[in-house]
Every structure is written in structure tokens, then in C-alpha cells.
Amino acid sequence: MAGFARATASPSSAPALLTGERLVVFLFAARVALAAPAGLAAPLAALAAAALAVELAVDGSAPASSPLRRFRTRPGASSGILLGATTLPSVMLSRLIQRSRLLSADPNGPEEFAYLEMQYWAASISCLSVLAFFLWHLRRAPSNGISKYFKYGSLSIALYLMTYFLSFLLKTDGGLMVMTNMVYMLCHGVAAVILIKHILEKFPSCSSFGEALLVSSGLVLYFGDMLAHTLSKMDFFMSSKEFIHTPGTRSDMTTIIQGNLLGLFLLPLLYKSSLQFWDYCGMEGKQQTQAAEEHTRKRIGSAVFYISLLVVLMFLVPSWTHLVQGLKVHPFVWIINYMFTDSHERLALCAYWICVIYVSVRRFYSISKQSKTERILLRKYYHLVAVLIFSPAVIFQPAFLDLAFGAAFAVFLTLEMIRIWEIYPLGHVVHQFMNAFTDHRDSEILIVSHFSLLLGCALPKWMSSGLNDRPLAPFAGILSLGIGDTMASMIGYKYGVLRWSKTGKKTIEGTAAGITSVLAACSILVSLLASSGYILSQNWLSLLIAVTLSGLLEAYTAQLDNAFIPLVFYSLLCL
């Protein structure tokens, strides 16, 4: 197995073509592509080929002379470009395959299918554009080996574009439809390039190329969904049906979650703009000492932040939800009404969550300050807490859990802004508390571990809404992170002897424990779901493949596994 170990290329040696991570990603993409129609599988294959060529070029270039050296990535992590470029398109293609099975039973199925297909192309084009951006920088690389990968990558991108053009030309009659779709996809690609450039420059050493690629393409897809639904409600010269098929089956809850999260993502723009305007207007102010001026600036900055947050949540978000969904009440009022409808189960669940979170946070924070417990084990205890918190809700209150995930992510996002900008009076307190749970993947600029754990559990649940032919799919994050990753780390740390590679820390014993524990948990869940009335159609051979591939990915990848493993596992469960 050492031959599959992750390669760290040196300037004098070419990178190994086949590593453990690349092999697992190839098997994952091949599994998804084989289940898809040829017209949709071919672009995924071309995208994977382009990503592999770019990754080999990046890993094979000397760090000191690499054209991408101005982008400082997370120390100790491989580039991860192949994994980052194929994950989101594979997830969208798996959802598309799952949706195709439900077309006959759902009257809104064709409309949902058409929109989901458009999202698949948008995710793929976003990743492809970032790969083209990397290739554009690598064209100046001096090494002959790098130039070879540059040619292969360029050829793969050209093949992808050919399949994309042919797909739309064969499905549409008029040139206007083709042109509008191309413009729509081009906007996604340009936005993804701008966003990943911003992430790599503004947050140096916080992520690998693959992690930044996953985040940028995911955010662009999410913003693009918001833009499409917004344009579909406006009276332009071109109707939404001529531009893009936006399904009309969105729930109020989905719109509220999306509106609040996107409002918080736009909050930094409003905050920075307000600060710049304040500085411009205050240029004629009276002179102060440096200490007093800094103190005043922090107080003013804090006030501007809270005002900006209030404007976003109280005015901008309600305006958007009213436009898109026709929601006539404020989102917060809607949430309160929802909470107290069928209130016994929901309030009991909230009380249970508060008790578990309070006890676990207080206990683990005390342990982190006083004991010599390994930080990796302490963090895995939170994975187990995630199982305790989320599993009952997925079974008994799945819709309410969607709302709870959105609220938790909004709180995390707000607290991280407060920590980064040192907003008075909580900035220093939040920074001290969060530092107790950081590891080598976090930095002073960004603490991402809690985000990745929450989103790793939330995304499979969010994407499974309305699709119930694979009841295990909503549990993908909870199973892979809360059980599989935790057991692999604990067993591997305490009893692991045989390592997958000479340079890595992951052990065969840990991986086997993770795979076995997830399979055991799935068998228990199947019994619980069957007793709850679900009609189970999960093939056990497919389940074994999904569990094994996600377990092997956890063993080999140097990327942020909380982000990738749940998406890979969810994608395989949908097939």
C-alpha cells in the first residue's frame, strides 16, 4: 500500500501519477459516471482528466519557482485539486440520477429535473473555470514536465467544452436559448475564479487549492440559485422559462434559510463600505492620541457592525423573501410561529439540544484547559455529540432540523465575524473560547473546524429534502463524521500499528474500524427507519461500496475531511 501514499514532489522529481487519494477519487467519479447517462458522464470524465493534469502540474512544480506561489496554501496539505474539482459536480450528478428515478411519481419532477441539470452544468463550469485559471498561471512554468501536463489539461478542457456545446445544441431549437444558457454558465465561471482568487489572497495558509475550489464553487452555485429565483420573479423582457427553469416548489423554510445565510455572506461588504464611508466623513475630526484614536475606532467599528447586521436581518432579508416567496410576514415571525406549531416535540427537542450542548461544551472546554488529552481525540468527542444531537431530529423532526442547521450556521458565521474583526465586547471572549478547540488545520485568520463539522452534517440533510427513496442519504454526514471518522481516529490512535503509507499517520486498523462501525450503524438505522414507516430501497452492495470508498478517502486524503467525506458518501448513497 505504500505505493499509493501521497506524494510530495520535489523540484528534481516528477510527481507520482497514482496516489491513494487520486485512486479513491477516480473510483468515486467512475462510480457516479457509470450510473449516469453518457451525455452527462462524459463531461465529468473530461473535468476529472483536466483536474488531474492541473494537480500533477501544481505538485510537480518547484515551490520557489511555481507560478502559483503567490497563493499560500495550508501547510502540510496536498493541493487536492482533483478532489476539489470533482466532488461538487459528482454530488450534483448523483442528485440528478436520484431525481430521474422519481420523475414518474412527481408531477413537478420534469421542472425539478431540468433545474437540477442546469445546476450540475453550473457546478461543473465553475470548477472548470478555476482549472483554466490555474492553467493560465502554469503556462509560464519552466519545467518540460509541467508543460506536458499543461497540454493535457488544455485538451481536457477543450473536450469538456465540446461536450457542453453539443449537449445544449441537441436539446434546444433556437439560438437564443443556447446563448442565454452560455451567458448564465459564463457568469458562474467568472464568479468562481474571482471568488477563489479572493479566498486564496485574503486568507493565506487557511486552505488548500482543493478546499478553496470546493468552497468557491459551492458559494457561487448557492448565490446563482438565489439570483435565478430572484430574476424569475422580476418582469424583464425575457421570462424565466426562456432563461432558466426555476422550480416553483420551494418551501418557505428553504427560502428563509437561504435568505438569512446569503444576507450574512453579504454583511462584510456592507460593513466594510460603511466603515469606509465613516472614515471619509470623519477626516476633518479633531486630533486624538494614538491610543484614544484606536479605542474610538474600535467602538465605532463595533457600532457599525451591529447596525449593519440589524439592517441585513431586519430589512434586506425580509425584502428578498417577500420578493421570491411572497412571504408576507417577517422571517423571524414566521420562525416563531413555526416553533410553536406542533410545539411539544420541537420544544422538547430544543430542550434536549440545549442540555447536551451545555454539558458537552462545559466538560470538553474544561478538559482542554486542564488535561493532556490529545486535541484530535477531544475534537472527535464533538463528532459523537453531533450524533447525539442530530440523529433523533433526522428521524422525528427532519424539517425542523433543516431550520436548526440554518440557525446554527448563521450563529457560527456571525461569531466568526465578531472574532475576526474583534467586535466589542464579544470579540476577545469568542477568540479565547474557540482557540481551545483548534488544530493544525485552523489558523489565526480563520477557524473552520466547527463550520466544516456543522456543514458536513447539514448539507446531506438539506440536499435530501423532498427526496425520500434513499432514507440513509440524509444521515450521510452524521454517519461518516460522527461515527466513521470518530471510530477511525480513536481506534487508529490507540491500537493502530499498520500504516497506509510511510509518511502518513492513518492506520489500516483505524480505517477498518471506521468502515465496520458505519456499516453497523447503517444496519441499526435501517431497522429504526423501517419501523417508522419508510420504504427502504437501499442496495446493500452499493452501501458497502459507498462506505468503503468514503472510509478509504478518510485514510488517504490530506484535505479537510469534514468537508469532503460527507459529500462523497452522500453522493454514493444517492445512486
Side-chain angles (χ1 to χ4, degrees):
M1 301 306 296
F4 292 145
R6 289 187 298 272
T8 54
S10 63
S12 59
S13 62
L17 179 62
L18 187 62
T19 64
E21 180 179 300
R22 290 172 189 157
L23 177 61
V24 175
V25 175
F26 169 76
L27 293 174
F28 161 60
R31 174 72 181 93
V32 175
L34 288 174
L40 297 176
L44 179 62
L47 179 66
L52 177 60
V54 175
E55 180 171 293
L56 289 170
V58 171
D59 291 346
S61 59
S65 59
S66 172
L68 296 173
R69 64 184 180 276
R70 68 190 185 98
F71 300 127
R72 287 184 293 157
T73 57
R74 179 163 57 83
S78 58
S79 64
I81 293 174
L82 176 61
L83 179 60
T86 55
T87 297
L88 189 59
S90 297
V91 170
M92 302 310 296
L93 185 54
S94 295
R95 294 186 69 205
L96 198 61
I97 296 169
Q98 185 181 22
R99 174 62 67 179
S100 67
R101 296 195 299 265
L102 305 175
L103 284 176
S104 59
D106 185 3
N108 298 310
E111 187 180 39
E112 296 276 357
F113 183 86
Y115 184 70
L116 197 54
E117 184 179 8
M118 191 66 65
Q119 285 191 308
Y120 163 67
W121 286 111
S124 302
I125 289 291
S126 297
C127 294
L128 190 82
S129 300
V130 174
L131 295 178
F133 170 72
F134 288 154
L135 281 179
W136 175 258
H137 283 276
L138 290 170
R139 76 190 190 282
R140 299 191 300 269
S143 171
N144 291 330
I146 302 305
S147 63
K148 175 181 66 175
Y149 296 131
F150 175 82
K151 293 178 182 177
Y152 291 156
S154 301
L155 178 61
S156 299
I157 290 177
L159 290 175
Y160 178 95
L161 294 175
M162 287 177 58
T163 58
Y164 170 71
F165 293 146
L166 288 174
S167 175
F168 276 93
L169 287 174
L170 292 175
K171 292 180 64 173
T172 55
D173 297 327
L176 180 62
M177 183 67 176
V178 176
M179 290 301 298
T180 53
N181 277 283
M182 288 182 181
V183 170
Y184 181 72
M185 297 302 168
L186 180 63
C187 291
H188 277 78
V190 172
V193 171
I194 294 174
L195 186 56
I196 195 172
K197 184 173 180 291
H198 180 80
I199 291 173
L200 293 172
E201 289 179 346
K202 298 299 182 181
F203 304 103
S205 304
C206 291
S207 67
S208 67
F209 287 126
E211 292 162 0
L213 178 53
L214 178 66
V215 171
S216 59
S217 58
L219 286 177
V220 167
L221 189 65
Y222 204 49
F223 272 92
D225 178 70
M226 176 184 182
L227 179 62
H229 282 88
T230 303
L231 293 177
S232 68
K233 300 298 180 179
M234 294 183 176
D235 294 327
F236 287 108
F237 65 93
M238 186 181 300
S239 69
S240 61
K241 291 184 178 180
E242 293 173 333
F243 178 64
I244 184 173
H245 296 278
T246 51
T249 56
R250 286 164 57 94
S251 65
D252 291 346
M253 182 185 297
T254 300
T255 304
I256 288 173
I257 293 173
Q258 187 178 42
N260 279 281
L261 292 184
L262 290 174
L264 290 175
F265 278 119
L266 293 175
L267 176 61
L269 297 177
L270 180 60
Y271 173 63
K272 293 294 184 181
S273 301
S274 301
L275 278 183
Q276 291 176 357
F277 179 75
W278 181 274
D279 289 340
Y280 175 79
C281 295
M283 290 177 61
E284 303 297 330
K286 60 181 180 180
Q287 298 295 322
Q288 295 178 325
T289 64
Q290 184 175 359
E293 184 178 356
E294 182 67 21
H295 179 74
T296 302
R297 183 175 180 83
K298 284 187 176 181
R299 293 298 180 93
I300 292 174
S302 300
V304 170
F305 174 82
Y306 291 123
I307 293 173
S308 301
L309 180 63
L310 188 67
V311 169
V312 166
L313 296 181
M314 300 305 294
F315 299 102
L316 296 184
V317 173
S319 300
W320 184 78
T321 56
H322 177 72
L323 171 66
V324 173
Q325 195 69 14
L327 205 64
K328 299 189 181 301
V329 297
H330 194 281
F332 290 160
V333 176
W334 188 96
I335 292 172
I336 292 174
N337 292 334
Y338 180 82
M339 281 285 297
F340 288 95
T341 303
D342 190 18
S343 59
H344 295 294
E345 285 189 10
R346 291 169 186 165
L347 294 179
L349 192 59
C350 288
Y352 167 72
W353 286 343
I354 292 172
C355 291
V356 173
I357 293 173
Y358 174 77
V359 172
S360 59
V361 169
R362 183 170 181 177
R363 176 60 178 165
F364 296 156
Y365 185 76
S366 176
I367 292 175
S368 69
K369 291 295 185 182
Q370 299 174 6
S371 74
K372 297 182 180 180
T373 303
E374 285 289 333
R375 186 62 58 91
I376 183 64
L377 295 182
L378 182 63
R379 288 159 56 84
K380 298 307 176 184
Y381 293 149
Y382 275 100
H383 288 214
L384 293 177
V385 171
V387 176
L388 293 176
I389 291 175
F390 301 138
S391 296
V394 178
I395 298 174
F396 300 110
Q397 282 287 332
F400 181 55
L401 182 61
D402 288 341
L403 182 62
F405 275 138
F409 186 70
V411 171
F412 282 178
L413 196 60
T414 304
L415 290 178
E416 186 66 8
M417 293 179 192
I418 290 174
R419 187 192 69 83
I420 292 174
W421 293 323
E422 299 179 351
I423 302 299
Y424 179 85
L426 299 175
H428 182 66
V429 176
V430 173
H431 180 73
Q432 280 189 322
F433 178 79
M434 293 305 301
N435 270 346
F437 307 104
T438 58
D439 67 0
H440 65 281
R441 293 173 295 187
D442 296 308
S443 68
E444 288 294 324
I445 302 177
L446 281 180
I447 298 178
V448 299
S449 298
H450 57 300
F451 283 107
S452 61
L453 176 59
L454 179 67
L455 284 178
C457 295
L459 286 175
K461 177 64 186 72
W462 281 341
M463 290 187 291
S464 298
S465 298
L467 302 173
N468 56 9
D469 70 326
R470 293 291 185 268
L472 290 179
F475 294 88
I478 300 171
L479 290 170
S480 59
L481 297 181
I483 296 177
D485 187 33
T486 302
M487 293 302 296
S489 296
M490 290 184 171
I491 299 300
Y493 178 81
K494 293 185 177 181
Y495 306 107
V497 175
L498 303 174
R499 300 188 183 276
W500 284 107
S501 67
K502 295 180 180 179
T503 57
K505 296 181 179 180
K506 304 296 179 65
T507 65
I508 296 177
E509 294 89 345
T511 302
I515 293 173
T516 305
S517 62
V518 173
L519 288 174
C522 288
S523 63
I524 295 173
L525 267 177
V526 165
S527 302
L528 289 175
L529 292 172
S531 63
S532 301
Y534 283 91
I535 299 175
L536 300 177
S537 57
Q538 188 75 55
N539 182 280
W540 282 98
L541 178 59
S542 297
L543 177 62
L544 179 61
I545 294 173
V547 174
T548 302
L549 285 180
S550 58
L552 290 175
L553 181 62
E554 190 276 334
Y556 278 120
T557 187
Q559 306 303 302
L560 190 61
D561 49 8
N562 287 4
F564 288 100
I565 294 175
L567 293 177
V568 170
F569 190 38
Y570 167 80
S571 181
L572 294 171
L573 286 177
C574 289
L575 299 178

